[in-house]
Amino acid sequence: MVNDLYFLVICFELVLYLNSMLLIRGVRGIVRQAAFLQLLKSTLPLTIILLTGVVLLSTAADSSDLGVIQKNLETSGLKQASSLNDYSVMLGLILIISGAVFRVGLLPIHFQNRLLLKETSHFQAMLATLFPVAAGLFFLVLVVSQVMVVNLSSVEQLLYFLSLIILASSAGLLLVEKEWKGILHLIIIQSAGVFLALFSAVCWKWRHESFSDEPVSIQQAMRAFTPELLLIWLAVFGLACFLDGVGRRRSALVYPEQLQGFLIDQRLLGSAAVVLLALLMGIPGSAVFIMNWQAVLSLFEIHQEASKGAMAIVHTGYLGLNIVLIFSSTLVAFTCAKLILQICFAKPLTRYRQRPHRGLVLICYGCVIGALLFSLQSMVGF
């Protein structure tokens, strides 16, 4: 049942639907109706695209079970490669991957929950962003790793282009974003873009090294990068709890300028926010630094196929993706550094001497401790 493609898609859509319903539930009446209509209009075409890809793939493989699909594709791969069946498989995979990426809002140009996020707290907004992104990445890794026995290079190139678009667009939008929710949202999307770039590099490596003595599956390779991604999201979630914990005792915190000089009044809580921002900035030993470093090294290992006797050179396309990844990560670091300077050294616009919300502050401290323990462990292991 777990390996059934239709079952996975239904569970994937159910998670996204429940997430949207929980988000809409806390919105006022008139805004709730408008948000629901906006959500329906933006997600229904993407769901149709995703289901179309599933139908094409399962029809071409004559089964909906991922194991059977893999065996049937391996068998058909030994036959004529230009058959209509192979084109259906390739189109199905493209629609599934692109549909899932668009469906969870990984492309920043597609803010299906933008109106909803404005009406919710930072805590709710980040949960509403993290759950779909986590479900989408899990779905992609699970499906692609099972059926990438044919048309592997096509899927690999699609992941390359999607990660390129995600990294470039999130970096550009970070330059103009002025609100806390938007900044945290884009940091999540940028980290998912780095993960997809790693996914594309792992697919390339698996395609060229799958005949080694002890081949590593795509799922096993991607599982090694998952802890870093989760810890990045943990730091973002800790910042969301910090913003709500401070803002619940007074007006909501919307813009970074509202926290200018916050460290003067709340030294312990301000230090926790600075630590989380420093970890997201990518200081050595942090999850951001480790994942970006692994991505850079993995992309540099991809070489173009050279003629016999010629020296292999770095793949031009992946070199460009590497440059975009470095530029995007630099913009994230610049944004976090600017926020740290505002919290620590800028002239306060208001004073924060009221006691913050205890429960949210404790969650924030827990996120700081967890992220720091991982960073210390990484430094010792490195």
Side-chain angles (χ1 to χ4, degrees):
M1 197 70 175
V2 179
N3 286 330
D4 188 82
L5 188 56
Y6 286 102
F7 176 77
L8 289 174
V9 172
I10 291 173
C11 291
F12 174 63
E13 288 290 338
L14 185 61
V15 169
L16 299 185
Y17 174 77
L18 292 176
N19 180 73
S20 301
M21 291 301 103
L22 290 175
L23 196 60
I24 291 175
R25 186 178 179 182
V27 180
R28 296 186 299 271
I30 299 177
V31 180
R32 180 187 300 178
Q33 185 178 2
F36 179 77
L37 291 175
Q38 182 193 42
L39 189 67
L40 185 63
K41 289 188 292 185
S42 61
T43 58
L44 187 58
L46 302 175
T47 301
I48 294 174
I49 292 174
L50 179 60
L51 290 175
T52 302
V54 171
V55 171
L56 284 173
L57 180 60
S58 60
T59 303
D62 198 24
S63 177
S64 61
D65 185 86
L66 291 176
V68 178
I69 290 175
Q70 184 177 11
K71 292 180 181 178
N72 292 346
L73 293 181
E74 287 175 345
T75 303
S76 63
L78 301 175
K79 301 178 182 179
Q80 188 175 359
S82 60
S83 63
L84 180 61
N85 197 54
D86 288 338
Y87 289 119
S88 299
V89 172
M90 182 177 66
L91 181 59
L93 286 172
I94 289 174
L95 291 178
I96 290 173
I97 295 171
S98 56
V101 168
F102 274 98
R103 181 67 179 87
V104 300
L106 273 180
L107 293 179
I109 56 176
H110 173 61
F111 287 112
Q112 71 245 29
N113 292 331
R114 192 68 173 179
L115 181 59
L116 288 172
L117 295 179
K118 287 185 177 181
E119 300 293 326
T120 57
S121 64
H122 294 87
F123 178 88
Q124 294 172 317
M126 291 307 104
L127 283 180
T129 301
L130 288 172
F131 279 140
V133 173
L137 293 179
F138 174 78
F139 175 78
L140 284 177
V141 172
L142 184 61
V143 173
V144 170
S145 61
Q146 288 285 341
V147 300
M148 282 185 64
V149 292
V150 293
N151 296 311
L152 183 60
S153 59
S154 300
V155 177
E156 172 189 310
Q157 291 170 11
L158 178 61
L159 291 171
Y160 158 80
F161 282 112
L162 288 174
S163 61
L164 184 66
I165 295 171
I166 291 171
L167 290 171
S169 56
S170 60
L173 289 173
L174 265 176
L175 290 174
V176 298
E177 182 60 52
K178 302 299 181 182
E179 297 183 4
W180 272 110
K181 286 180 185 176
I183 292 172
L184 297 181
H185 184 79
L186 289 171
I187 290 176
I188 293 173
I189 291 177
Q190 194 270 346
S191 64
V194 177
F195 188 81
L196 285 179
L198 276 167
F199 196 8
S200 180
V202 166
C203 292
W204 182 92
K205 188 174 182 180
W206 186 87
R207 181 162 61 94
H208 289 81
E209 301 179 6
S210 59
F211 299 104
S212 59
D213 294 334
E214 296 182 359
V216 178
S217 67
I218 295 176
Q219 283 190 48
Q220 290 174 336
M222 295 310 299
R223 200 177 295 129
F225 307 122
T226 304
E228 286 79 13
L229 183 65
L230 293 178
L231 282 161
I232 292 171
W233 293 349
L234 181 68
V236 173
F237 184 69
L239 277 175
C241 293
F242 159 75
L243 293 170
D244 282 342
V246 175
R248 283 197 176 188
R249 297 297 185 183
R250 49 191 305 135
S251 59
L253 297 175
V254 180
Y255 304 101
E257 291 77 12
Q258 294 176 267
L259 285 176
Q260 287 186 183
F262 179 82
L263 192 64
I264 298 175
D265 293 324
Q266 300 279 349
R267 293 191 178 277
L268 183 60
L269 188 56
S271 299
V274 169
V275 170
L276 291 173
L277 287 169
L279 293 173
L280 290 175
M281 190 172 64
I283 60 174
S286 65
V288 173
F289 176 84
I290 294 172
M291 193 166 76
N292 288 339
W293 180 253
Q294 290 173 334
V296 169
L297 291 180
S298 298
L299 293 175
F300 268 124
E301 289 177 354
I302 299 178
H303 298 86
Q304 292 178 342
E305 295 182 2
S307 58
K308 187 175 181 180
M311 182 180 296
I313 60 175
V314 178
H315 194 286
T316 307
Y318 281 99
L319 179 61
L321 177 59
N322 219 339
I323 294 173
V324 172
L325 189 151
I326 294 172
F327 177 72
S328 177
S329 301
T330 303
L331 282 180
V332 172
F334 172 77
T335 301
C336 293
K338 184 175 68 173
L339 295 173
I340 291 174
L341 292 176
Q342 286 182 331
I343 292 174
C344 295
F345 304 111
K347 183 179 180 181
L349 297 179
T350 184
R351 308 310 298 262
Y352 290 89
R353 293 177 176 174
Q354 295 180 347
R355 189 172 292 180
H357 190 278
R358 180 178 297 178
L360 292 172
V361 168
L362 289 177
I363 296 176
C364 177
Y365 290 151
C367 295
V368 172
I369 293 172
L372 284 178
L373 287 176
F374 174 82
S375 299
L376 291 174
Q377 181 183 5
S378 302
M379 288 180 183
V380 172
F382 189 80

